[in-house]
Amino acid sequence: MGGTSTDVSRFDGHLEHVFETTTAGVTIQAPQLDISTVAAGGGSCLRFESGMFKVGPESSSAFPGPSCYRRGGPLSVTDGNLLLGRILWERFPKIFGPREDEPLDVEATRSGFRALTEEVGEEEVGAEEVGEVGKVEEREGKEEGRLER
């Protein structure tokens, strides 16, 4: 995962290959992994605008970085992954803060999502209650990450 894009490939017991791709107008005919670029990397900013949730193209950049990096950055895809428990903050390197010896700032992520929830209004997004960071609940057949109140 990069700052504003992610390269993805499917693995279902074996690596998928393609034999021809076109990049920037140049066709390459050679066996290669089937990799696609998705425009939503860890630094892509999250926001609510014109009645819709949006991701990117704005980036939190390396500095200040996502909200959880302890440098006052905006909510980003990394914060969403932290909130959903896809990033195990307790196992993540402690390289944040002024002395670069602190863990990811889970409370900054919670606070940022609380502010976003207030901006949107709970009724507009259908959120009835907000749970703990990393807690994924089953509701109407869909997994949803929740915030702690």
Side-chain angles (χ1 to χ4, degrees):
M1 178 176 289
T4 53
S5 66
T6 302
D7 293 333
V8 296
S9 184
R10 184 173 131 85
F11 180 79
D12 189 18
H14 68 281
L15 298 171
E16 294 189 12
H17 292 83
V18 294
F19 300 94
E20 181 178 302
T21 60
T22 302
T23 303
V26 176
T27 300
I28 300 170
Q29 294 181 330
Q32 54 198 289
L33 290 176
D34 187 11
I35 297 174
S36 298
T37 300
V38 179
S44 295
C45 295
L46 306 176
R47 65 191 183 290
F48 187 76
E49 184 179 286
S50 303
M52 295 183 294
F53 288 103
K54 295 189 177 181
V55 178
E58 294 82 6
S59 172
S60 62
S61 304
F63 191 87
S67 176
C68 61
Y69 279 16
R70 298 182 178 271
R71 290 183 261 186
L75 276 181
S76 302
V77 169
T78 297
D79 294 296
N81 284 327
L82 179 63
L83 180 73
L84 291 171
R86 294 179 181 149
I87 294 175
L88 303 176
W89 65 269
E90 63 276 2
R91 292 188 168 181
F92 212 78
K94 294 179 181 176
I95 57 172
F96 305 98
R99 294 189 316 262
E100 299 180 346
D101 62 350
E102 297 180 63
L104 290 171
D105 190 347
V106 176
E107 188 50 45
T109 294
R110 285 181 183 143
S111 177
F113 275 101
R114 278 190 203 107
L116 184 62
T117 300
E118 288 174 14
E119 179 183 341
V120 173
E122 288 187 29
E123 292 161 64
E124 287 185 43
V125 294
E128 294 161 6
E129 73 179 59
V130 185
E132 299 175 22
V133 166
K135 184 176 183 183
V136 178
E137 296 180 7
E138 186 72 26
R139 193 173 106 193
E140 296 179 25
K142 295 183 178 179
E143 290 183 335
E144 296 186 11
R146 307 266 189 191
L147 295 170
E148 179 181 306
R149 277 191 194 224

